[in-house]
């Protein structure tokens, strides 16, 4: 597949094109990014527990199925409660928006711990996140979301951001990059760990310099590090350095 076609694809198309080529971990990382995008609207402790649980186990599978199911059921209870609350809201635009935003954020947290969904629920989370973000950030809250051109523009902008985030996570699965272990110098590893462990994304361009000093001249790797981003937790170059998939 050409670089141009992959770069032009939307999230739904990328999921279809790369079916079977993406690890569950990468899909889970996208769901966690969605959770963090809606963090201001995750107020229930049970939803927050679900997100923390997913974060704790994104790099290693949870072997305790009973524990995971308890977390999932608690998060599902929040979704049921907030869905009922949202649908019983007074029919004013502001109240309608607010209640739907909180309900949709809870759906996103739930899907972070549901591991039996097609593509880990990424497509549904994409929709929930874009709608909730747009409804929460529209500066004309006295109108219903479906009647707001500004809300529609925010939603489309968020979908474009999601596409970029997904590419940052998975790279181009049709053009795998060979990583020379000799490039894992102490400087390279230190920078990659800082990016991964504490979210020091401003160091990604510096990582490119360190990789070049180590002998890396791969255009895909260096170009991605020096590109406009966005870079998120699980960036494919950082994962490549750290040996994660």
């Amino acid at each position: 597949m050409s670089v141009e076609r992959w770069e032009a694809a939307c999230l739904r198309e990328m999921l279809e094109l790369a079916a079977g080529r993406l690890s569950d971990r990468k899909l889970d990382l996208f769901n966690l990014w969605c959770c963090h995008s809606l963090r201001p609207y995750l107020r229930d402790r049970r939803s927050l527990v679900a997100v923390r649980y997913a974060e704790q186990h994104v790099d290693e599978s949870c072997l305790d199925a009973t524990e995971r199911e308890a977390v999932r059921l608690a998060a599902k209870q929040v979704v049921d409660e907030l869905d009922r609350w949202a649908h019983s809201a007074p029919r004013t635009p502001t109240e309608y928006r607010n209640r739907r935003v909180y309900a949709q954020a809870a759906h996103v947290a739930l899907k972070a711990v549901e591991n039996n969904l097609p593509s880990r629920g990424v497509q549904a989370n994409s929709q929930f996140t874009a709608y909730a973000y747009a409804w929460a950030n529209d500066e004309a809250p006295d109108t219903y979301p479906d009647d707001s051109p500004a809300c529609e523009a925010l939603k489309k902008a968020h979908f474009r951001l999601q596409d970029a985030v997904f590419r940052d996570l998975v790279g181009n699965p049709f053009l795998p990059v060979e990583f020379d272990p000799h490039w894992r110098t102490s400087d390279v590893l230190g920078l990659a760990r800082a990016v991964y462990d504490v979210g020091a994304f401003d160091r990604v361009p510096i990582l490119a310099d360190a990789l070049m000093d180590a002998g890396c001249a791969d255009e895909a790797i260096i170009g991605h590090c020096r590109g406009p981003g966005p870079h998120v937790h699980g960036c494919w170059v950082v994962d490549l350095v750290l040996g994660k998939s």
Side-chain angles (χ1 to χ4, degrees), residues 6 18 31 38 46 58 60 91-92 95 162 172 194 235:
W6 181 256
N31 284 337
L38 300 181
R46 293 163 293 178
V58 72
E60 55 186 39
R91 303 302 290 183
T92 63
E95 188 70 8
Q162 291 179 16
N172 186 334
C235 166

Side-chain angles (χ1 to χ4, degrees), residues 17-92:
L17 290 168
R21 293 175 178 263
L22 304 176
S23 69
D24 287 342
R25 175 178 168 274
K26 288 294 187 180
L27 300 173
D28 290 342
L29 283 165
F30 179 84
N31 284 337
L32 283 171
W33 177 83
C34 290
C35 291
H36 289 294
S37 296
L38 300 181
R39 177 62 183 81
Y41 318 111
L42 287 171
R43 301 290 181 86
D44 192 285
R45 181 188 61 82
R46 293 163 293 178
S47 293
L48 294 171
V49 166
V51 175
R52 287 197 295 271
Y53 186 86
E55 288 175 328
Q56 291 167 359
H57 296 284
V58 72
D59 283 323
E60 55 186 39
S61 299
C62 172
L63 300 178
D64 191 335
T66 301
E67 181 185 19
R68 186 183 193 103
E69 181 62 7
V71 172
R72 188 194 71 80
L73 287 174
K76 176 67 165 57
Q77 188 176 35
V78 179
V79 166
D80 293 341
E81 292 170 2
L82 289 181
D83 277 347
R84 288 194 296 270
W85 179 61
H87 287 100
S88 65
R91 303 302 290 183
T92 63

